[in-house]
Amino acid sequence: MNYSQRLNENTVAIFLFHGVIPNHKNPIRNYTRKHMAQDEFKSVIEDLLANGGTPISMDDVLNIHNGKMRLPKKSFVFTFDDGFENNLTCAASIMKEFKIPGTFYVTTDFVDIPTVVGETCAMLCPPGDAAALARAVQHMHALPPDALQEMGMA
C-alpha cells in the first residue's frame, strides 16, 4: 500500500496500525501481517513526509472538528489498536524520532469477562513491574491518567 496516495488537501487520513516489530523473522506468527517491520514503518513515515504529509494528533482532529483549528493540508493521524507491547518498544520510539504524534488504544479487559489482557499491561509498565500494573488495571479497570505521560508518550 502506498500510504502517501491517501493524502488529500482537504481531509485527514487516519492510518490504523496494530504493531511494529524489529523484523519478520517468524512469518507464521505474523501471518496476518498485523505487525509491520520497523524498516517498513520508517519508510511509510518517510514517504508521507516527503509527499507533504502533515502529522497531527487526534486532539487536533477534535479541535479542527470544533472549529478551533484549521485543517493543515495533507494531514494524517497514526492510531494503534490493541496496545501490543511493540507499540511502546518499536513504534513509539520511531514516531518520536520523526516527531509524529499518535493515539494508542489499549485494551485492558475482555468484553464481559473480568480478566486483564496481560500483554497490554506489560506494554504500560517498567520492565519487571508488569504484575503490579496488571493487578492495578484489573482492580481499577482504567489506566492511570498520567501513565502515558510518565512513559514520555503523551
Side-chain angles (χ1 to χ4, degrees):
M1 173 182 186
N2 185 339
Y3 288 81
S4 64
Q5 288 180 341
R6 304 285 185 193
L7 297 176
N8 187 295
E9 298 287 324
N10 303 313
T11 61
V12 177
I14 299 178
F15 298 111
L16 165 67
F17 299 96
H18 285 274
V20 177
I21 55 178
N23 58 46
H24 285 297
K25 67 181 178 185
N26 191 339
I28 293 174
R29 183 174 174 205
N30 192 36
Y31 74 97
T32 60
R33 294 208 18 95
K34 194 180 240 189
H35 300 272
M36 181 183 287
Q38 66 184 10
D39 291 341
E40 184 180 354
F41 186 62
K42 283 183 180 181
S43 293
V44 166
I45 293 172
E46 289 167 347
D47 176 57
L48 288 167
L49 296 175
N51 284 286
T54 304
I56 63 173
S57 68
M58 287 302 289
D59 285 340
D60 293 336
V61 171
L62 184 61
N63 286 330
I64 292 163
H65 176 75
N66 290 330
K68 296 178 181 178
M69 181 178 164
R70 292 181 52 121
L71 174 69
K73 293 182 180 182
K74 298 186 177 184
S75 299
F76 67 90
V77 173
F78 278 3
T79 68
F80 286 81
D81 270 7
D82 303 324
F84 289 101
E85 180 180 13
N86 62 44
N87 295 171
L88 175 63
T89 60
C90 283
S93 60
I94 294 168
M95 293 167 62
K96 187 174 183 177
E97 174 186 339
F98 287 95
K99 297 184 170 94
I100 307 288
T103 298
F104 298 85
Y105 296 102
V106 178
T107 305
T108 58
D109 278 326
F110 292 105
V111 176
D112 295 329
I113 300 174
T115 58
V116 175
V117 180
E119 184 175 15
T120 300
C121 292
M123 175 197 138
L124 293 172
C125 64
D129 201 14
L133 183 61
R135 286 191 303 275
V137 172
Q138 187 173 22
H139 291 293
M140 295 170 20
H141 295 284
L143 297 174
D146 58 351
L148 293 177
Q149 187 173 28
E150 287 177 12
M151 293 185 303
M153 294 176 61

